[in-house]
Amino acid sequence: MKSINLKENQFIQFHQKISFKFDGVKYFGYKGDTIASALLRNNINLVGRSFKYHRPRGIYTCGIEEPNALVQIISEYSEPNTRATIKKIYEGMEIESQNRWPSLENDFGSINNLFSPIFTAGFYYKTFMGPHKKFWKNLYEPLIRRAAGLGKPPKDFKGISNHIHHNVDVTIIGGGLNGLLAAKSFINSNYDVLLIEFEDRLGGIINNSNKISLIDNKEPKDWLKETIQEIEESKNVKILKNTLVTTYNYINHLIAIEDRFVGSKPIEGKVNSTLHKIRTGHTILCNGHIERFLSFQNNDLPGIMLSSSFEKYMCRYGLSPSKEPVIFSNNSNSNSLVYSLIKAGLKPKAYIDSRSGEEIEPNLFDLIRKNDVPLYTNSQIKGAFGNKKIEKILVEDSSGALNEIKCDCLCLSGGINPDVHLFTQSKGLLDWDEKDLTYKPSKPFQPTITLGSASGQFNFDNLNSEINEKLKTFKVKKLDVKLELNTNTKYNIEKLWEVSPQKKSLWAKSFIDLQNDVTTKDIRQAITEGFDRIEHLKRYTTNSMGTDQGKISSINALGIVSDLLDKKVNEVGTTIYRPPYAPLSFSAIAGRNCYEFYDPERKSPIHSWHIKNGAIFEDVGQWKRPWYFQINKDESMHDAVQRESKNVRENAGILDGSTLGKIEIKGEDALEFMNLIYTNSFTKMKQGSARYALMLGEDGMVKDDGIICKISDQHFIATTTTGGAATVLGCMEEYAQTEWPNLKVFMNSITEQYATFNISGPKTREIMKKAFPNINFSNEKFPFMTFQFHEFNGIPIRILRASFTGELGYEIYIPSNSAPKIWDNIQSLGKEFGLAPYGTETMHLLRAEKGYIIVGQDTDGSITPIDLGLSWMIGKSKKDFLGKRSLTRSDTIREDRKQLVGIIPSNKADKLEEGQHIILDKEIKSPVPMLGHITSCYYSSTLGHDFALAVIKNGHSMIGTKAYASTSSMSTTGVDIVKPVFYDEDNKRLVS
Amino acid sequence: MLIINCPYCGPRDQSEFSNGGEAHVKRPDGSKEIGDREWGEYVFIRANPKGLFYERWVHTHGCRKWFNCVRDTSTDEILVTYRLDEKKPNLNNFKSVVKTPSGEPEVGSGNFTVEK
Amino acid sequence: MTEVIRSDGIEIKKKVIQQILLRGSGDSKFNNHINKSLKLLPPSDNLRIISNDNYTLAKMSFDQWNLIFEKEIEIKKLNKILDDLNKSPLILATNISDSQVFFEIQGKNSFDILNKLTHFDFREKSFKKSTAAQTLLARVDCSIFNLDLKLLLSCNRSFADYLEDRLIDAVNY
């Protein structure tokens, strides 16, 4: 195909050459070229191999709807399957064609074409089934994975994306004639308007075709320049170019993707794509129309393209891909291509129209006759032929005779469709127009307006009336634009979806979906096999399931199906149009919310001290908590944990407990409220005392636990688990607002207000006396489970005597900003007593030795307080509390519920593991009845062996018996079921 | 991505809210005798109609207050939001043709594209 | 107060500001009690901010007010105010001075940059001066106070490092 440059073009900078490589060979294009226009300039039309049959493919269109020309750009910023018709070239760009081996010219995969008669519709569902199940996993799947896909993702991806949120009153999608006129109407009004255009310049059909000769008596390019300037200078209309709206969500929420490096190489460290998230009051769709093709034998040969695309290459890119293309059409939209060719001093090799002479417009007739263009009316193309490119076509003329025409390019027009993707994404409904033979937007669901060809206006005579009528509600100034057209025709089309082939052959292919290699024969076969509902048909044949979503062909498929089923097209319906309109990369969706920003990191007030002192952290929700402390780089976790726990039992340890939730509850009805929320009764509790409490769900299952401090009947402070902080406060607020609004009570979170130091160990009292010399820590003055308010250097603090480790201990609450200093102070004063910090792993170990549960570890939402042996925590005289009634459901009073027990290995040297099943039999012979599982498990240096907590059926009555724990290697370990407490059962150390 | 009109903060993005399930479900008085069935229905059973539905939402990432709304579950349209202390609106005031268990709204379900 | 970042059209500073979280019914008893203690009548319109020389009081919801001390006062004085307010059984006043970190944001590009991190509508028609809002910004729960000459953004102190990094990132990318 010999192309010719049209150097009067105003958009291409012919003085600026750009070099690029395609499949290793260097070529030149110009600034402003897309990869497609640059390749066409170099007479390259073979750009890829089709997905299934590996047929040679060329450039079919000049826009997003491109099905074939998908290429790979070798760069760390690029994604595979780039549309050559969109991507602008930059100096040094390296491009490779896809889906071919060893080369584009000689592709081994084209052997698929030979086997194509078996690769028909439903092929995937009918094959790869045997001879044995293992064949799928070991042979077919790996092979198919290797062959699947078109391009390859880059090994090292450096692209940076960000997000921008917009809140506007009106969004206009499409900056063509209608979009610009709509934007113009809104200038200086009270509306915040956003005008979004996909190309790198506004204008749409004004730039891409020769349809319009004058606007308001000005040259289109002058009118365009003036209008754009007016919009740019306005205060309330903002323009976004190079931005494609991909998604139209409910309610008037749009997603658009902007390419920040159009025509230049992305700069490292700079954002190269932006995802716009737009909340708009109204959406005005001016996104135009898409031309569709026609189906006939070999309608996929390189050299065949859509007629309006050919015209766009001429008008927008200053390039005529061929000197004398043949035009095949069934409608009047291709008239302007004839006009453009003749205007450029070229002419079509032949003009073939399926309509009769009477339906063809007189001015087209004049143009054709004046320029001696061979004319075929009432004619159809029976097939295109050639080796890896179009060389000739076979035309059946009005008399039925077959004519062979040699040509290097064929322009098709099967009609035009309003681009309804976004409209239907918005859940608006379509209606089939029988005259224009297309689906047009009908009933909107959201505040959506469509204008121009997007709403089905294919003639320009309603331009003013439509805009003025549809924008009436905004009370903006009315328009009265005068248009003069070069091809003054009313849109006229005659139905033609596919041409039947001249010869019946197993290998004759008439495509209905170019990207997925679906032929019209596949459609017929699918219907024969019973897939006559359009959604089934789509998936069975994979029609319109490619990255182009069948934009130039899906309506044709509906037309063919309606003819085959003898149903109206409206009855056949369409498949659901799904976002995104064009492929959207995950990196754009992620934006900056990746790597270290993926999830917020929460740090305690003492965080920097932990880092300086060898803490290894674990994630507890969003918090970073010290898991254990390493005294040197060589200390293993096991050794560190054993050292820390030994030290707590022998000397003293200090843990940063700031992450646990703290809630302040106050009000006249606070006592009644607390009694309703927790299982315990707080009525007789003394002021200044503290109590361990459980909170249940309404299903009776343990949801959270904590320590409740009673300041007075009207004032409490509750603690929660780290993960449960927000949930417990949320639950309290929910019941206070929705269920018991009559109770006078308020609750505030003070989790962040105070840092919490948990200090415990036999030497704790001495350390506390040194750190807080004015406070009396004697057993008489500061009993176990009481709390006191004090002032330390003017800072209000609270000390609670409680411990989770089973040793004498205190919890110190200090306002966060003052906490680091006091922590440092305690560290230095405690050194002589052997005070050392410990982390969450040691904390888990020590509490397990005492049999204290951790909600979420030993409970999983299916455990009641009775299962845990904590019936004593239920206030028996309480009339009501959350979950009370559920404790007497038939399920919760079952005898064989899973109950908390202790587990130790019968042979002390054996190891246990969290998650092990507890079973009765030594030998594993399936099916094996499971009694329960180990919920927490540690090695204790105090005990000298492993120990565990578990929940097993009838656990309470099984204490004292033996059982087995199953291991991951299908053997078993003998275990003793014991009471869930392994250390200081009488709590002597706690209350000392 | 709905817009939900919080009665206290005004219209905000759906991402700021959490759904709270069926509204106007009264907790049985725990101090009285409650049958297993009545209690079980309160704990585990909630209505799930297609069409107009009384629902609760909470403005989790905002004022953290609970409120009610009427939502058409067949189209996701939130027809009205109202405070907890306001009377619940009569469903007959709203135009919805969908009657659970089946039926489709004229427009807005997203289940079909062509006008019937 | 530390400077976080200064760039074209935006300046962000980080401060710790004393703050009390007030819960109450907002009825006349409540208003009188507050007025007696602070010589400031709490706003009745939701999300409204009123201030005098010493205090700024923002109504965040029908039963929640944030009392902000832009000028730092002695801890003793703050505790006295707390005790006075808490004397009424109808009020819960909690000191949250240590709970939160504030970012002071100024500059003509403030809203554009913040809109890289949040969907919130900062336009004058939606978010007037002397009003407050609670929303999500960079995945963190924040309160925003739209004051005359600047914007105050507060978050829980445990998120402050992350939020600061996100703010800097939004300016740079």
Side-chain angles (χ1 to χ4, degrees):
Chain A
M1 185 156 95
K2 283 267 178 316
S3 66
I4 186 169
N5 286 332
L6 306 172
K7 296 233 169 148
E8 355 37 273
N9 182 276
Q10 48 163 323
F11 305 113
I12 299 293
Q13 297 175 41
F14 285 104
H15 56 276
Q16 215 176 327
K17 265 193 173 160
I18 292 186
S19 79
F20 65 97
K21 278 199 182 150
F22 179 64
D23 278 351
V25 180
K26 192 170 181 177
Y27 300 97
F28 287 99
Y30 300 102
K31 182 132 181 75
D33 262 334
T34 58
I35 297 174
S37 63
L39 288 174
L40 287 171
R41 267 188 231 285
N42 287 277
N43 299 323
I44 295 167
N45 206 1
L46 178 61
V47 292
R49 289 277 177 167
S50 70
F51 181 52
K52 225 170 27 174
Y53 302 131
H54 284 250
R55 288 166 67 100
R57 291 292 169 81
I59 296 165
Y60 219 88
T61 67
C62 189
I64 311 174
E65 65 270 27
E66 177 58 39
N68 287 334
L70 303 183
V71 296
Q72 181 109 24
I73 300 176
I74 310 301
S75 148
E76 315 105 334
Y77 299 93
S78 293
E79 305 123 18
N81 300 333
T82 305
R83 280 156 178 67
T85 51
I86 301 293
K87 188 80 182 172
K88 300 237 175 352
I89 54 173
Y90 54 76
E91 179 61 44
M93 189 187 252
E94 279 183 46
I95 307 152
E96 267 180 26
S97 56
Q98 296 181 158
N99 202 38
R100 79 294 181 271
W101 181 84
S103 75
L104 200 47
E105 274 290 321
N106 301 301
D107 175 35
F108 183 71
S110 54
I111 200 165
N112 282 4
N113 203 30
L114 265 182
F115 293 114
S116 59
I118 60 170
F119 290 156
T120 54
F123 164 68
Y124 307 108
Y125 302 104
K126 297 172 185 160
T127 49
F128 306 120
M129 294 195 199
H132 184 270
K133 258 195 199 166
K134 287 213 166 101
F135 270 73
W136 172 257
K137 187 163 182 220
N138 298 322
L139 180 64
Y140 303 134
E141 192 188 343
L143 270 182
I144 292 173
R145 277 194 185 280
R146 201 92 73 70
L150 288 170
K152 293 187 271 281
K155 279 208 170 60
D156 181 22
F157 185 68
K158 289 197 180 145
I160 297 179
S161 301
N162 69 353
H163 290 177
I164 298 181
H165 297 257
H166 301 261
N167 287 286
V168 294
D169 301 314
V170 177
T171 303
I172 301 170
I173 301 179
L177 179 61
N178 276 279
L180 289 167
L181 288 173
K184 213 166 124 124
S185 321
F186 280 104
I187 294 176
N188 293 333
S189 68
N190 286 329
Y191 297 96
D192 294 320
V193 181
L194 193 58
L195 173 63
I196 306 181
E197 167 57 45
F198 169 60
E199 304 246 11
D200 60 348
R201 50 186 69 246
L202 302 162
I205 208 156
I206 300 171
N207 298 331
N208 300 338
S209 81
N210 275 316
K211 285 185 163 41
I212 300 173
S213 76
L214 289 175
I215 308 176
D216 278 345
N217 292 320
K218 300 188 192 108
E219 288 271 331
K221 67 176 193 305
D222 294 329
W223 180 88
L224 194 58
K225 193 159 169 225
E226 270 176 41
T227 307
I228 293 174
Q229 195 173 355
E230 233 185 287
I231 298 173
E232 279 173 348
E233 284 170 0
S234 78
K235 288 200 173 63
N236 64 323
V237 183
K238 193 165 162 207
I239 302 175
L240 276 179
K241 287 192 281 203
N242 297 314
T243 307
L244 174 70
V245 178
T246 62
T247 310
Y248 188 147
N249 285 329
Y250 182 63
I251 301 172
N252 261 351
H253 192 249
L254 306 165
I255 306 281
I257 180 85
E258 178 187 356
D259 184 349
R260 299 280 288 267
F261 282 94
V262 171
S264 59
K265 191 172 164 133
I267 300 172
E268 181 153 4
K270 291 246 178 260
V271 171
N272 63 305
S273 76
T274 297
L275 193 74
H276 295 273
K277 297 187 172 187
I278 303 155
R279 178 73 74 182
T280 176
H282 298 263
T283 307
I284 302 180
L285 290 169
C286 306
N287 50 333
H289 59 275
I290 303 178
E291 191 168 42
R292 56 191 194 228
F293 73 172
L294 291 160
S295 297
F296 51 84
Q297 186 176 358
N298 301 329
N299 62 332
D300 67 325
L301 276 173
I304 303 181
M305 66 166 68
L306 296 177
S307 65
S308 57
S309 303
F310 192 106
E311 190 179 353
K312 190 169 167 185
Y313 280 115
M314 293 182 74
C315 300
R316 174 72 178 76
Y317 291 99
L319 153 80
S320 184
S322 159
K323 289 203 189 100
E324 38 171 21
V326 173
I327 301 175
F328 176 35
S329 172
N330 67 344
N331 66 88
S332 57
N333 190 50
S334 43
N335 290 3
S336 53
L337 173 60
V338 179
Y339 172 85
S340 301
L341 283 165
I342 289 168
K343 180 163 179 258
L346 308 165
K347 72 173 190 179
K349 182 121 193 234
Y351 180 82
I352 305 162
D353 204 314
S354 69
R355 299 175 289 167
S356 68
E358 295 87 62
E359 287 174 297
I360 295 175
E361 298 71 28
N363 19 10
L364 179 66
F365 256 129
D366 284 342
L367 212 53
I368 286 176
R369 242 190 249 112
K370 270 202 202 116
N371 290 279
D372 276 326
V373 177
L375 172 65
Y376 296 78
T377 58
N378 260 327
S379 307
Q380 294 185 357
I381 290 190
K382 282 305 203 178
F385 306 93
N387 178 20
K388 296 191 196 124
K389 60 177 190 280
I390 191 171
E391 284 162 349
K392 65 177 188 209
I393 53 172
L394 223 53
V395 182
E396 187 185 79
D397 64 26
S398 48
S399 69
L402 285 174
N403 303 273
E404 189 184 283
I405 304 178
K406 284 199 173 48
C407 64
D408 70 348
C409 178
L410 172 63
C411 295
L412 294 179
S413 180
I416 54 177
N417 308 316
D419 188 348
V420 295
H421 285 247
L422 290 177
F423 183 79
T424 48
Q425 281 181 27
S426 80
K427 302 207 260 187
L429 295 180
L430 305 173
D431 200 15
W432 180 255
D433 184 321
E434 192 56 42
K435 179 171 160 292
D436 289 347
L437 293 176
T438 186
Y439 270 115
K440 294 188 180 176
S442 145
K443 198 186 257 177
F445 177 57
Q446 302 187 42
T448 316
I449 294 170
T450 52
L451 292 175
S453 56
S455 82
Q457 298 290 330
F458 294 153
N459 307 312
F460 290 102
D461 41 357
N462 290 332
L463 182 70
N464 291 308
S465 56
E466 189 189 31
I467 294 186
N468 291 331
E469 176 61 36
K470 290 186 176 174
L471 297 188
K472 211 166 47 176
T473 52
F474 299 105
K475 300 203 177 52
V476 289
K477 39 185 162 12
K478 286 192 185 261
L479 287 176
D480 189 13
V481 180
K482 205 165 87 130
L483 276 188
E484 267 176 54
L485 305 171
N486 282 321
T487 49
N488 219 339
T489 52
K490 287 243 182 313
Y491 183 67
N492 170 279
I493 180 171
E494 183 191 76
K495 188 170 99 163
L496 178 65
W497 306 118
E498 68 165 325
V499 179
S500 49
Q502 184 226 345
K503 283 202 282 251
K504 277 217 185 297
S505 146
L506 278 181
W507 281 269
K509 284 187 181 48
S510 164
F511 286 93
I512 187 63
D513 183 310
L514 290 169
Q515 192 163 115
N516 277 2
D517 272 348
V518 179
T519 63
T520 53
K521 193 162 86 177
D522 293 333
I523 306 273
R524 273 186 280 280
Q525 182 184 333
I527 290 181
T528 312
E529 295 190 22
F531 293 94
D532 57 0
R533 291 290 194 272
I534 199 71
E535 294 277 13
H536 284 154
L537 182 87
K538 168 182 168 178
R539 282 144 184 91
Y540 195 64
T541 59
T542 75
N543 184 50
S544 79
M545 285 178 78
T547 65
D548 65 331
Q549 299 177 328
K551 287 180 175 68
I552 67 171
S553 58
S554 59
I555 301 284
N556 302 44
L558 299 177
I560 294 175
V561 169
S562 84
D563 283 346
L564 284 172
L565 297 176
D566 198 20
K567 275 193 177 153
K568 287 217 206 59
V569 184
N570 250 352
E571 278 175 65
V572 170
T574 78
T575 54
I576 306 295
Y577 291 78
R578 300 193 194 280
Y581 178 74
L584 193 54
S585 68
F586 278 109
S587 86
I589 296 169
R592 301 298 294 152
N593 296 316
C594 46
Y595 303 118
E596 68 273 14
F597 288 149
Y598 177 71
D599 204 21
E601 226 176 63
R602 293 180 78 173
K603 302 175 185 169
S604 97
I606 315 294
H607 189 78
S608 40
W609 187 94
H610 296 319
I611 294 178
K612 284 201 210 98
N613 286 276
I616 303 295
F617 291 91
E618 73 158 343
D619 292 331
V620 183
Q622 292 172 324
W623 291 96
K624 288 273 182 248
R625 295 196 70 184
W627 199 11
Y628 60 95
F629 288 83
Q630 273 184 324
I631 46 173
N632 59 59
K633 281 265 182 302
D634 297 322
E635 192 181 34
S636 71
M637 176 171 165
H638 181 265
D639 289 346
V641 172
Q642 295 306 318
R643 169 184 54 78
E644 285 174 7
S645 25
K646 230 172 149 203
N647 189 54
V648 173
R649 296 254 181 257
E650 288 173 7
N651 300 317
I654 184 166
L655 169 91
D656 178 3
S658 308
T659 63
L660 278 80
K662 313 173 221 7
I663 305 174
E664 186 175 3
I665 301 118
K666 182 173 179 259
E668 286 179 2
D669 300 321
L671 177 62
E672 187 180 342
F673 183 73
M674 292 298 279
N675 277 337
L676 282 167
I677 294 287
Y678 291 93
T679 60
N680 317 50
S681 172
F682 303 107
T683 313
K684 297 216 184 93
M685 206 172 148
K686 280 210 273 274
Q687 294 190 9
S689 65
R691 188 167 288 187
Y692 174 54
L694 286 179
M695 189 172 113
L696 308 181
E698 292 278 40
D699 57 357
M701 308 301 164
V702 171
K703 206 159 137 172
D704 206 77
D705 64 359
I707 295 180
I708 312 298
C709 291
K710 182 173 181 177
I711 300 170
S712 74
D713 277 352
Q714 288 87 37
H715 203 175
F716 293 81
I717 297 181
T719 70
T720 75
T721 59
T722 299
T727 327
V728 172
L729 180 62
C731 181
M732 286 185 178
E733 282 282 355
E734 181 185 346
Y735 278 92
Q737 289 179 41
T738 67
E739 203 59 54
W740 306 310
N742 52 305
L743 291 182
K744 297 188 195 57
V745 62
F746 291 110
M747 57 244 40
N748 280 340
S749 165
I750 47 174
T751 309
E752 305 261 11
Q753 176 61 18
Y754 297 97
T756 311
F757 305 162
N758 297 52
I759 181 168
S760 55
K763 306 234 176 88
T764 312
R765 195 173 265 121
E766 280 92 273
I767 300 171
M768 291 296 277
K769 279 199 224 157
K770 274 225 147 155
F772 304 101
N774 295 332
I775 304 176
N776 188 337
F777 289 102
S778 68
N779 224 352
E780 298 74 38
K781 286 288 187 227
F782 212 139
F784 179 59
M785 293 305 266
T786 62
F787 65 96
Q788 298 174 8
F789 289 98
H790 289 281
E791 231 183 60
F792 180 73
N793 291 345
I795 302 162
I797 64 171
R798 182 167 64 96
I799 302 180
L800 161 68
R801 184 173 160 189
S803 137
F804 198 39
T805 61
E807 299 298 324
L808 164 67
Y810 302 85
E811 286 187 14
I812 314 164
Y813 298 87
I814 303 174
S816 307
N817 291 334
S818 314
K821 234 171 152 186
I822 298 180
W823 175 276
D824 283 341
N825 193 33
I826 295 177
Q827 292 293 339
S828 55
L829 291 174
K831 259 201 184 49
E832 69 174 279
F833 301 99
L835 178 69
Y838 66 96
T840 52
E841 189 64 24
T842 296
M843 181 259 289
H844 279 230
L845 200 172
L846 296 174
R847 62 91 205 176
E849 284 177 341
K850 292 290 291 180
Y852 297 153
I853 55 143
I854 287 189
V855 172
Q857 168 104 20
D858 305 295
T859 70
D860 60 1
S862 70
I863 307 273
T864 69
I866 300 140
D867 299 335
L868 295 172
L870 296 175
S871 312
W872 57 270
M873 292 183 68
I874 301 172
K876 299 288 188 302
S877 59
K878 287 212 296 190
K879 292 217 185 90
D880 193 11
F881 57 86
L882 291 186
K884 174 177 188 230
R885 179 58 183 80
S886 279
L887 294 177
T888 49
R889 286 191 288 121
S890 54
D891 182 60
T892 47
I893 56 173
R894 269 189 301 123
E895 293 265 306
D896 63 343
R897 285 186 63 82
K898 285 190 180 166
Q899 294 158 348
L900 186 72
V901 296
I903 300 279
I904 53 177
S906 305
N907 176 352
K908 298 289 187 288
D910 284 341
K911 308 300 295 164
L912 294 173
E913 223 185 331
E914 252 167 52
Q916 278 183 301
H917 293 300
I918 303 297
I919 59 180
L920 278 177
D921 294 319
K922 181 168 180 179
E923 243 186 81
I924 294 186
K925 260 187 297 192
S926 63
V928 184
M930 177 178 111
L931 292 184
H933 69 282
I934 290 178
T935 58
S936 300
C937 172
Y938 311 91
Y939 174 81
S940 161
S941 45
T942 308
L943 303 172
H945 57 81
D946 273 11
F947 73 101
L949 292 172
V951 286
I952 62 177
K953 289 191 188 151
N954 281 315
H956 294 156
S957 52
M958 288 196 71
I959 291 175
T961 67
K962 285 191 190 291
Y964 295 91
S966 67
T967 72
S968 44
S969 56
M970 296 291 270
S971 61
T972 60
T973 309
V975 296
D976 298 341
I977 303 177
V978 299
K979 270 198 285 201
V981 60
F982 307 87
Y983 177 80
D984 188 25
E985 199 175 326
D986 300 323
N987 293 330
K988 288 207 188 70
R989 297 171 80 94
L990 263 182
V991 302
S992 65
Chain B
M1 175 65 87
L2 303 175
I3 294 182
I4 302 179
N5 192 13
C6 170
Y8 311 109
C9 303
R12 296 286 190 90
D13 248 41
Q14 181 187 349
S15 56
E16 296 184 16
F17 299 88
S18 302
N19 184 281
E22 189 180 359
H24 305 298
V25 177
K26 183 141 179 56
R27 183 175 190 274
D29 184 352
S31 61
K32 303 205 169 62
E33 283 267 330
I34 314 164
D36 267 350
R37 188 183 185 86
E38 189 195 340
W39 181 253
E41 279 184 12
Y42 163 69
V43 178
F44 299 112
I45 312 292
R46 291 291 180 275
N48 184 21
K50 185 171 188 181
L52 297 177
F53 182 47
Y54 291 114
E55 203 172 49
R56 308 185 308 164
W57 286 84
V58 59
H59 197 181
T60 320
H61 299 292
C63 60
R64 294 182 301 281
K65 299 299 178 226
W66 286 81
F67 57 93
N68 293 328
C69 79
V70 174
R71 178 171 66 99
D72 185 338
T73 60
S74 66
T75 62
D76 272 346
E77 188 180 354
I78 291 184
L79 295 148
V80 68
T81 57
Y82 54 104
R83 293 192 318 263
L84 294 175
D85 58 355
E86 284 179 277
K87 194 159 166 254
K88 74 180 183 194
N90 190 336
L91 291 183
N92 292 326
N93 296 342
F94 306 106
K95 187 177 67 135
S96 169
V97 296
V98 176
K99 289 280 181 285
T100 203
S102 62
E104 286 277 14
E106 261 172 51
V107 64
S109 70
N111 291 332
F112 53 91
T113 57
V114 181
E115 195 160 359
K116 293 211 196 288
Chain C
M1 168 143 87
T2 52
E3 182 174 284
V4 170
I5 188 163
R6 184 196 295 241
S7 183
D8 184 30
I10 187 161
E11 197 182 309
I12 304 179
K13 298 195 197 99
K14 185 170 74 169
K15 325 167 110 156
V16 172
I17 302 180
Q18 290 164 316
Q19 206 183 171
I20 291 178
L21 182 58
L22 277 170
R23 302 293 298 280
S25 64
D27 61 7
S28 49
K29 268 206 207 141
F30 170 86
N31 288 338
N32 289 338
H33 194 96
I34 305 291
N35 200 13
K36 217 166 59 166
S37 206
L38 306 175
K39 306 279 183 292
L40 191 60
L41 204 60
S44 57
D45 286 341
N46 210 20
L47 305 179
R48 184 133 276 291
I49 301 176
I50 58 164
S51 28
N52 63 18
D53 286 335
N54 301 319
Y55 318 115
T56 297
L57 193 53
K59 183 170 183 182
M60 306 307 281
S61 177
F62 64 84
D63 65 357
Q64 181 187 329
W65 289 257
N66 281 36
L67 173 60
I68 301 172
F69 299 81
E70 284 205 76
K71 275 190 246 160
E72 194 177 345
I73 63 171
E74 277 175 34
I75 294 192
K76 270 201 168 65
K77 267 186 107 181
L78 185 72
N79 287 333
K80 174 129 194 337
I81 294 176
L82 267 168
D83 287 339
D84 278 348
L85 292 170
N86 272 320
K87 275 203 178 69
S88 164
L90 305 166
I91 294 176
L92 168 56
T94 304
N95 186 1
I96 54 169
S97 306
D98 296 68
S99 303
Q100 305 217 300
V101 170
F102 279 84
F103 293 92
E104 194 181 280
I105 303 173
Q106 288 173 292
K108 63 175 166 53
N109 290 337
S110 305
F111 296 150
D112 283 343
I113 289 172
L114 289 176
N115 268 139
K116 290 189 193 178
L117 300 171
T118 179
H119 58 271
F120 188 76
D121 189 354
F122 288 106
R123 294 179 295 162
E124 174 64 34
K125 54 172 83 156
S126 314
F127 190 45
K128 295 192 175 28
K129 288 264 177 249
S130 297
T131 59
Q134 293 175 90
T135 186
L136 260 183
L137 193 135
R139 296 170 180 225
V140 176
D141 288 324
C142 295
S143 298
I144 310 178
F145 303 92
N146 195 3
L147 303 174
D148 247 351
L149 300 167
K150 62 192 174 192
L151 201 67
L152 273 184
L153 177 72
S154 73
C155 72
N156 278 345
R157 55 155 307 291
S158 63
F159 290 99
D161 278 357
Y162 175 83
L163 188 59
E164 187 177 329
D165 288 341
R166 291 300 306 255
L167 286 168
I168 295 173
D169 189 78
V171 174
N172 289 331
Y173 286 99

